[in-house]
Amino acid sequence: MTDDSISASAGDSQASTYGGVNRRSVLKALGGTGLVATAGCTSQLSGGSNQEWPSRQVEVVSPWSAGGGADRTSRAVADAAESNTDVSWNVSNQTGGSGSVGMSAVANAEPTGHMLGCTAPEICLYQHLGIADLGPEDITPIMQYTQMPAAIVVRQNADYTTVDEFLSYAENNQVQMANSGIGSSWHMAGAAWASEAGIDVQHVAYEGAAPAITATVNGEADCATVGAVEVASQVRDGPLTALGVMYDEQLESLPNTPTMQSQGVDIVIGSWLAHFAPPDLPDEVQQSIVETYNTVYESESFSTFMENNNFMRVKRGPDELQQFLDERYEFYGNLVEELNIQA
């Protein structure tokens, strides 16, 4: 069975289609669509206020630790946004609960537009796993700006450097698989991969992709399931080896790493990143934020950062993002049930 509702972004050369749903053992999906940008960056708040957005510092909350994709891209967004507004933009890291601590902080903030957050597939997972009472209906979507296929990495001096070698090792050993938190998108990708590959693994949770990668480098875990782009430099220069990417074609970020499909594990899955605001945000403020993000997305500084760091550029505006979140909420509910995932 395939899910043809998820398609690539038209007009963005780095966007790619993520694969369909295969219910033999797992569901698989990820994707992006485009949105035409407009310009501008200020608007009056509702309720008769003469205050314009942004009237003071904007804080962007990354719900995972520094060094991961959410943190790095959020800082790139903030840097570009600061150049296009009259106030400073700051990024803070509020970790815990597979990202639910940071996302909840934003969802519970005053809807002025001065606190924004980074979100990912986890927003569609918390309620299914009982991690937090937080879902797509509890946020105001702003913009998706990237997607990240999953990869499995091991330390370079490991006894296994290919998928076949790793699966042979797993037959006789308890595999410790690091991820960015129980119920995180990388946990789900790792669980889906293990199910498709027919092996049992012990999932080990960390507060973000960066510490999960460090644990693998240090030998605390046998492998890590993370975003391919998050480990590209460490695979290229050491100390990691990528066993494969969960995508339907080889990636520019890991040009020498084969796909899992080509190695007999038929799975395409990953993550994406988007920014959001608290619920009940006045329409005028949302529009002003979206206009600023449109400018950011097309800016030279953000485009250069994404290209230099091998992040795919995939864009969804608020309406398309809301629809996508609703679809992913149903998708991940089915995936949790299919794989019997428990937090």
Side-chain angles (χ1 to χ4, degrees), residues 12-35:
D12 196 327
S13 61
Q14 291 185 321
S16 299
T17 303
Y18 271 74
V21 177
N22 180 342
R23 297 213 182 235
R24 288 187 301 109
S25 57
V26 297
L27 297 162
K28 323 168 181 141
L30 193 73
T33 59
L35 178 71

Side-chain angles (χ1 to χ4, degrees), residues 2 6 51-52 54 85 115 127 149 189 252 270 312 325 335 342:
T2 60
I6 302 174
Q51 188 178 29
E52 292 185 338
T85 55
M115 179 177 279
Q127 292 175 341
E252 291 183 9
M312 293 180 174
L325 291 172
L335 184 58
Q342 297 180 358

Side-chain angles (χ1 to χ4, degrees), residues 36 44 93 95 114 125 149 155 177 179 191 195 219 235 274 299 324:
V36 176
Q44 291 186 346
N93 300 90
T95 65
H114 292 93
L125 276 160
R155 59 189 180 279
M177 178 179 283
N179 59 54
S195 175
V235 170
S299 69
F324 178 69

Side-chain angles (χ1 to χ4, degrees), residues 146-299:
T146 191
Q147 65 184 21
M148 299 185 293
I152 292 184
V153 292
V154 301
R155 59 189 180 279
Q156 277 187 337
N157 61 349
D159 294 332
Y160 32 80
T161 58
T162 67
V163 168
D164 284 343
E165 291 174 353
F166 184 81
L167 295 180
S168 295
Y169 174 84
E171 289 178 0
N172 302 306
N173 298 273
Q174 175 65 67
V175 170
Q176 304 250 332
M177 178 179 283
N179 59 54
S180 55
I182 298 301
S184 68
S185 53
W186 301 134
H187 173 211
M188 299 301 294
W193 182 86
S195 175
E196 184 73 20
I199 62 172
D200 293 324
V201 301
Q202 180 179 355
H203 297 282
V204 184
Y206 292 85
E207 296 296 344
I213 293 167
T214 300
T216 303
V217 171
N218 294 340
E220 298 173 23
D222 297 301
C223 65
T225 306
V226 292
V229 69
E230 295 176 304
V231 292
S233 62
Q234 289 162 293
V235 170
R236 182 178 60 250
D237 303 325
L240 292 172
T241 296
L243 298 183
V245 294
M246 302 181 202
Y247 200 49
D248 54 8
E249 61 184 46
Q250 286 184 264
L251 301 174
E252 291 183 9
S253 58
L254 293 174
N256 297 318
T257 302
T259 67
M260 289 297 181
Q261 288 180 329
S262 69
Q263 300 178 85
V265 185
D266 185 17
I267 184 169
V268 175
I269 196 169
S271 186
W272 42 264
L273 295 172
H275 281 184
F276 70 97
D280 301 321
L281 189 72
D283 291 342
E284 299 90 342
V285 178
Q286 181 186 20
Q287 182 60 32
S288 291
I289 298 172
V290 170
E291 289 171 355
T292 296
Y293 269 69
N294 283 331
T295 301
V296 165
Y297 187 85
E298 301 298 337
S299 69

